[in-house]
């Protein structure tokens, strides 16, 4: 900020030294700062108009006017309401507080600096799962103790399904419009899909293998493919 203020002081000084000529001031600035870094005449004129009006070349900070909807009372009410029920929708919360939806959006984001987050789904662990996992870990440790190369023989694998009929992810698909377009996506009962399986272990990568599911005469056939 101090750097820009000093540059503005220099512009004002050169303006009066060059007979209050905008063109002469710009030419002098180009000889000092270079042609590409020097301001235009319109920029110098705006600065001098501001200097004549305020007597200063510094930026005047303007305070943001708080609208009635975003009053201190409403902001505090929204803060307390979010603390009690964080999952309430913006529309419903706006109705409860008595403000518009857009005002509620501004209070949440601009005044309270809140963000929306999605619920993450994880696999539920049953009470028996903890015991089974401990047993599995102990079994692996025993095998590793008996054979130092045991871990090198473990194969880690994963698979992914790719639908060939245009699979639609409804979670990510949104259609904007004034009315509901009633878009329907027909889904086959037994769609064709490609399953890709791949594994890796200490010896390298296994696969990938491509498994194509096809419906042939009321039976599903699987075609294997290997990518070398």
């Amino acid at each position: 900020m101090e750097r820009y203020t000093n540059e503005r002081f220099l512009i004002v000084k050169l303006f009066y030294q060059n007979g209050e000529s905008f063109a002469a001031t710009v030419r002098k600035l180009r000889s000092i700062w270079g042609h590409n870094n020097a301001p235009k005449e319109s920029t110098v004129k705006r600065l001098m108009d501001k200097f004549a009006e305020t007597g200063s070349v510094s930026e005047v900070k303007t305070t943001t006017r708080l609208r009635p909807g975003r009053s201190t009372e409403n902001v505090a009410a929204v803060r307390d309401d979010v603390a009690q029920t964080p999952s309430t929708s913006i529309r419903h919360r706006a109705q409860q507080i008595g403000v518009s939806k857009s005002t509620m959006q501004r209070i949440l984001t601009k005044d309270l600096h809140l963000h929306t987050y999605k619920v993450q789904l994880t696999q539920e662990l049953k009470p028996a799962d903890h015991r089974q996992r401990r047993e599995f870990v102990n079994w692996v440790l025993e095998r590793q103790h008996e054979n130092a190369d045991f871990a090198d023989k473990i194969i880690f694998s994963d698979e992914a399904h790719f639908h060939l009929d245009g699979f639609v992810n409804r979670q990510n698909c949104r259609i904007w419009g004034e009315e509901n377009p009633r878009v329907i996506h027909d889904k086959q009962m037994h769609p064709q899909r490609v399953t890709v399986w791949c594994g890796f272990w200490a010896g390298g990568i296994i696969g990938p293998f491509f498994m194509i599911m096809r419906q042939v005469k009321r039976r599903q056939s699987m075609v294997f493919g290997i990518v070398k």
Side-chain angles (χ1 to χ4, degrees):
M1 180 62 70
E2 182 179 357
R3 169 197 166 191
Y4 294 117
T5 302
N6 293 335
E7 291 177 351
R8 291 166 185 162
F9 281 145
L10 178 60
I11 294 174
V12 173
K13 179 181 178 181
L14 293 177
F15 177 74
Y16 289 110
Q17 288 180 351
N18 289 272
E20 300 184 9
S21 170
F22 297 110
T25 303
V26 171
R27 286 195 297 269
K28 186 63 177 179
L29 290 172
R30 288 176 179 174
S31 65
I32 299 175
W33 294 338
H35 187 276
N36 295 330
N37 296 326
K40 298 180 180 179
E41 290 188 23
S42 58
T43 304
V44 176
K45 186 178 185 305
R46 285 196 301 269
L47 177 62
M48 296 311 303
D49 291 341
K50 176 182 178 181
F51 181 74
E53 180 181 355
T54 64
S56 174
V57 295
S58 301
E59 293 290 344
V60 179
K61 295 183 179 180
T62 57
T63 58
T64 303
R65 181 173 61 90
L66 192 62
R67 298 185 178 182
R70 293 169 59 189
S71 62
T72 304
E73 293 77 9
N74 286 343
V75 172
V78 173
R79 181 186 295 108
D80 295 339
D81 190 65
V82 171
Q84 296 178 4
T85 55
S87 59
T88 302
S89 66
I90 293 179
R91 186 183 301 276
H92 190 197
R93 199 184 304 278
Q95 293 175 351
Q96 291 178 336
I97 302 299
V99 297
S100 65
K101 181 182 176 182
S102 58
T103 299
M104 177 59 63
Q105 179 78 28
R106 295 188 184 97
I107 291 177
L108 292 171
T109 57
K110 297 183 180 299
D111 297 326
L112 300 180
H113 306 289
L114 300 179
H115 306 278
T116 56
Y117 299 93
K118 286 186 177 181
V119 176
Q120 295 183 351
L121 300 180
T122 59
Q123 183 176 356
E124 180 184 5
L125 293 178
K126 302 294 184 180
D129 293 336
H130 299 278
R131 176 181 54 81
Q132 293 176 356
R133 293 193 175 195
R134 286 194 299 269
E135 292 177 353
F136 176 75
V137 170
N138 292 331
W139 178 82
V140 172
L141 292 176
E142 291 176 0
R143 301 289 83 76
Q144 184 70 22
H145 181 72
E146 297 173 357
N147 184 358
D149 298 332
F150 176 76
D152 296 338
K153 301 177 182 179
I154 299 177
I155 298 177
F156 300 90
S157 65
D158 198 1
E159 62 183 23
H161 304 287
F162 298 90
H163 295 260
L164 305 181
D165 61 342
F167 177 76
V168 176
N169 188 340
R170 293 179 297 173
Q171 178 66 21
N172 298 332
C173 182
R174 295 292 184 269
I175 300 176
W176 293 85
E178 296 180 355
E179 297 180 357
N180 189 345
R182 306 295 179 185
V183 176
I184 298 176
H185 179 76
D186 294 331
K187 180 181 178 182
Q188 299 180 12
M189 182 175 295
H190 301 288
Q192 291 187 1
R193 69 181 184 182
V194 176
T195 299
V196 182
W197 182 95
C198 185
F200 68 93
W201 65 307
I205 298 177
I206 305 174
F209 295 94
F210 290 76
M211 295 164 280
I212 304 176
M213 303 297 298
R214 294 176 179 173
Q215 186 73 12
V216 181
K217 295 182 179 180
R218 298 184 180 180
R219 293 183 180 180
Q220 283 190 341
S221 63
M222 183 177 294
V223 180
F224 293 90
I226 301 177
V227 176
K228 297 182 180 180

